[in-house]
Amino acid sequence: MARIVVITSGKGGVGKTTTSAAMATGLALEGHKTAVIDFDVGLRNLDLIMGCERRVVYDFVNVINGDASLRQALIKDKRTENLFILPASQTRDKDALTEEGVGQVLDELSQEFDYILCDSPAGIERGALMAAYFADEAVVVTNPEVSSVRDSDRMLGILASKTRKAEQGEGPLPSRLLLTRYAPERVDKGEMLSVEDVVEILSIEMLGVVPESQSVLNASNAGMPVILDKESDAGQAYSDAVARFLGEERPHRFLTAQKKGILGRLFKG
Amino acid sequence: MNAHSSPIQPIEFKGRMILVSILRLHDADPQRLHDAMDARLREAPDLMRDMPLLVDVEPLAGTLPETLIQVVQEIRQHGFKLIGLHSGTVAQTIAEGTGLPVIVLGGKTGAEVPLRHATPRESGTVETPAPPQEQATTLQFLHTPSLVVNQPVRSGQQVYARGGDLIVLGTVSAGAELLADGHIHVYGTLRGKALAGVRGLVGARIFCRRLDAELISIAGHYRIAEDILDAERGENRLVTLAGETINISEI
C-alpha cells in the first residue's frame, strides 16, 4: 500500500508545485516508486516544472471519467527512475474531481506505488479538499510572512477535520511544515518572520527550511526539479527535507545569513 | 405524614437576568430577509438558534400589519427563538397577530421578560460537539461537562461549549473563535477571539497562559484588539467583567 502525502498551503504561489516536484524526485532517487498527481485542474503546472509538458496525452480527469487507463495517463520521468507524473487537465474545472473518482484512482495507484504525492491547488475549495481528503499525511508549504502563515493555519484546521482520517475518528492528519523562500538577511532586518516565529504560531513540526534562491527559478524555467541541482542551497535543503521525511535526523541548514566577503559584495553573489 | 415537610413544590418563580439580542428589520422583502437570515445562521448556527431575540419592526413603519405578521412568522420558521416585540407604535399593531408580547427595554422600567430554558439539542456543525447528554437522575448533582479541546484551534475554526466551560490545551490562532456559556481556559497562546458567558453569565471569566487576542468578550460586553493595551497583553492573564467594563489582570 502506498503512503499518500498531500502537499498543500492555502495560499497560492508559495511553492507547492516546486515542493511536490522536488520531493517526488527525492523520494524516487531514494529508490521509492513514486507518483505525483497534479490536482490543480484547470491550471496545469506540475508537468512544466517536471519538464514533461510535451508528453502529456491523457490527464487525471480522463482517468477519473474512464476515458483513459492509468497506464496510459501516467508519464514516466525521463531523468529519474521510479518516478511517474499524472498531469492535471487544462480544459476542465475542479468539479470534475469527484470523491469517488479520486478515491478509485488513488486505490489503483496504491497497488503499485510506495508514495503518492498530491500537489494541491491553492485555496480551500473543492480541488484542495480532494487533494487532502485521502491523504495519510500532509506537508504544509508556507512562506515566512503573515498572510501565508495565517492561510496555512486555516489549512491545518481543515486537515484536522475534513479529511477521511479525521472523519473516521483517527484524529487530525499528521502534518509537517516546509518553510520556503526563507531569507535570513531579511529576518535579521525584521522584514520577515523567523523560523521560531512561524513554528510558535503554527505549533507544528518543521520538516525543512528552503532558502530563497535564484536556483529555484532557474530550475522551474528549465523544467527540472530543483532537488537535482545538487550545487544549489535550495536543492540541498530539499534533499535534507526528503531525508527527514523518510525518518532520518538532519540538522537544519541555511538558517543564518551568510557573511559576504568584499568580492561577494562586489559581485552580489 | 405532615404535608408541610414536603421539600418539593410543584412550581416556583425565580427572577433571573437574561441577555437578549434585538433583531432590527430594515426591509420587509421576503427574499432579501430570507437570504440575510440564512447567511447569519450559517455563520454560527448553534449560537443563533438558541439566542433569545426581540424583533424591532419600528424601521418598517408604513408597511401593512399583515405583511409584518408574515415577516415575523418567516423569522420563526428560520429557527430563531423570538421572545417578543421591541416596544413601539408599530409593534403594538401586530402584537396580537403575532402572539408575541411587547417588551419595553432600558432604564429601570424594564418590563417582565418571560423566563425560558434553552433545551440542549444535537449540534449541527462539525467543530462544535455538544456535550454528551447524561440522564440526570437527581437534579442536585446535575453537572454540565466542560468541553476539552486537545488540539490547537486553527484560523477559521469555531468551538462552542454549550452550557459549560471550554478548556483548550493548545494555541488559539488568529481567526479562530472560542465560545462558551461558562468560563474559557486557554493553556496556549490566545490569538483569536474568546467569548465567555455568551448566554449572559456575567461572572464568566477568560483565563489564558498568554493573551494576544483579537477580541475578548464576557456576557456580550467586549473589547477588540485595538482596545487591548500592549501592557495588558502578556503571560497569565485573567479577563473579568465588572459592571460594563472588561478588565484584564495578571493571575
Side-chain angles (χ1 to χ4, degrees), chain A residues 18-30 50 80 83 215-216 219 224-243:
Chain A
T18 300
T19 299
S20 299
M23 284 198 64
T25 307
L27 288 167
L29 286 172
E30 292 292 320
M50 300 284 294
T80 315
L83 180 58
S215 58
V216 173
M224 181 186 84
V226 68
I227 198 168
L228 292 173
D229 184 356
K230 300 217 185 296
E231 302 298 309
S232 72
D233 46 1
Q236 291 172 23
Y238 273 118
S239 296
D240 285 356
V242 170

Side-chain angles (χ1 to χ4, degrees), chain A residues 37-57:
Chain A
I37 307 177
D38 191 349
F39 272 77
D40 206 348
V41 174
L43 296 164
R44 229 175 75 188
N45 277 169
L46 180 67
D47 50 323
L48 284 172
I49 306 280
M50 300 284 294
C52 64
E53 74 278 8
R54 283 153 58 142
R55 291 191 288 141
V56 174
V57 182

Side-chain angles (χ1 to χ4, degrees), chain B residues 75-228:
Chain B
I75 298 169
R76 277 175 160 159
Q77 275 163 7
H78 261 81
F80 286 103
K81 296 270 166 40
L82 301 187
I83 60 168
L85 297 164
H86 190 245
S87 68
T89 46
V90 187
Q92 297 292 350
T93 63
I94 61 164
E96 204 173 324
T98 55
L100 286 169
V102 176
I103 291 171
V104 185
L105 292 180
K108 284 179 180 155
T109 57
E112 250 179 62
V113 177
L115 264 180
R116 61 184 290 283
H117 290 281
T119 42
R121 248 178 317 157
E122 205 56 47
S123 156
T125 49
V126 189
E127 282 107 351
T128 59
Q133 284 189 33
E134 280 164 30
Q135 294 242 315
T137 42
T138 47
L139 275 174
Q140 243 176 316
F141 300 110
L142 189 69
H143 168 68
T144 317
S146 303
L147 178 61
V148 181
V149 179
N150 290 311
Q151 304 159 14
V153 183
R154 307 274 182 194
S155 174
Q157 289 182 320
Q158 188 188 54
V159 182
Y160 176 31
R162 177 194 295 275
D165 296 352
L166 174 60
I167 300 167
V168 180
L169 299 179
T171 295
V172 180
S173 298
E177 197 168 295
L178 304 181
L179 302 148
D181 290 343
H183 307 299
I184 294 177
H185 305 251
V186 180
Y187 292 97
T189 303
L190 171 60
R191 294 195 179 88
K193 299 178 181 171
L195 298 89
V198 286
R199 284 198 285 189
L201 182 67
V202 292
R205 297 170 175 207
I206 300 167
F207 308 82
C208 57
R209 164 92 30 105
R210 189 177 167 81
L211 179 81
D212 195 10
E214 289 178 320
L215 180 144
I216 44 176
S217 160
I218 292 171
H221 298 279
Y222 64 91
R223 276 167 73 175
I224 56 171
E226 215 173 57
D227 305 332
I228 305 173

